[in-house]
Amino acid sequence: MEKVTVVMSTFNGQKYISQQIQSILSQKDVMVDLWIFDDGSSDQTIEILKKICLTNSNIHIINNSKTKGPAQSFLDGLMSVPNSEYFAFSDQDDVWDPDKLSSAICFMTSHDKFIGPKLYFSKARLVDENLRSFGMADYKDGVLSVPEIFTRNNGVGCTFVFNAALREAVMRGRIEFENNEVMHDQWLYAICQLVGGKVYFDKASHIKYRQHHSNVVGGESRNILRKVFSSGFFAPGNSRRFKFVVSLRRGFFEQATSKNKRLLTIACEYKQNMSSRLKWMRSYAISGDNLLHKVEICSLILVGRY
């Protein structure tokens, strides 16, 4: 059986964490090692975890030295755990199907013989606080191109399973968290694409993705007005996309493929003049198949608010 190291970040998760951990410990056909990084909980989360650890030697609890937020807590945790064949991220409030990890590994290994960084993600069934289903996470099907992953993410981090080669690529680079709003799943997705890895999308779901008022990031879709006002046209200080690309270039340029090095350079230098903007617009316009998103991003590039 393959070994999977599961990285979980917790913060005031007392209400649902026992149920989630039980679903992780009930995974079939894999050996699970669970590392939990608590980000400053003030409720009974730590006490609950310590009690569970008394009868489960494969659970490890680490208290973060300071409050980091979910993105840094997950990625710092990933880089600090022992090596493993596979890794996975876990939220503190979902419920996994018994085959969640084994089906992900099978999906990656049965589709091709690719050797290198691999990342799997899947659809996620949306459920309420009482696990009543009400749909699927509103993320578009398929794998995003490199220019697309610079601007958006369609992968739900709690469905991610990936191999040791991708973890090694993350550790060889440098992730910048200061003033960066990008979540851990988009970082991992982008790094895998940049270094020439393979991303796998499973249209089936193997997880109950719980939605409640305490979610840091949930699966709810944004309406058209929220999309327009958050795009950048009406927010001059909205430079998250550009900061992300610049951070990727600083931290992972040497590992990127030749093609992706060119894309990083074009994206980072697009503000120099109109010719540079048009070059980045052309590069973005030929990627992906979401016409509305292409128009939005190309327009932002043209006005210098990408």
Side-chain angles (χ1 to χ4, degrees), residues 10 35 62 81 94 123 203 209 217 241 243 250 291:
T10 57
W35 288 77
I62 306 294
V81 298
D94 301 323
K123 288 190 173 183
K203 292 184 179 180
Y209 187 27
V217 177
R241 288 177 289 257
K243 285 181 179 179
R250 282 199 290 253
L291 180 59

Side-chain angles (χ1 to χ4, degrees), residues 33 113 128 142 176 215 289:
D33 206 23
K113 297 182 179 180
D128 64 15
E176 300 173 354
N215 282 88
D289 56 6

Side-chain angles (χ1 to χ4, degrees), residues 69-127:
Q72 185 172 0
S73 181
F74 270 111
L75 289 169
D76 281 354
L78 173 64
M79 291 185 280
S80 68
V81 298
N83 202 12
S84 182
E85 294 173 87
Y86 293 94
F87 298 85
F89 288 139
S90 170
D91 291 345
Q92 65 186 5
D93 47 13
D94 301 323
V95 175
W96 289 6
D97 295 352
D99 68 340
K100 179 185 183 295
L101 296 177
S102 59
S103 62
I105 293 170
C106 181
F107 196 95
M108 286 188 284
T109 56
S110 63
H111 272 65
D112 54 51
K113 297 182 179 180
F114 178 79
I115 298 175
K118 294 184 177 185
L119 170 64
Y120 163 99
F121 72 99
S122 72
K123 288 190 173 183
R125 302 190 304 280
L126 296 175
V127 297

Side-chain angles (χ1 to χ4, degrees), residues 164-180:
L166 181 52
R167 204 277 287 254
E168 290 167 6
V170 174
M171 295 184 70
R172 285 196 299 270
R174 184 179 78 255
I175 294 177
E176 300 173 354
F177 294 105
E178 187 176 357
N179 299 321
N180 204 315

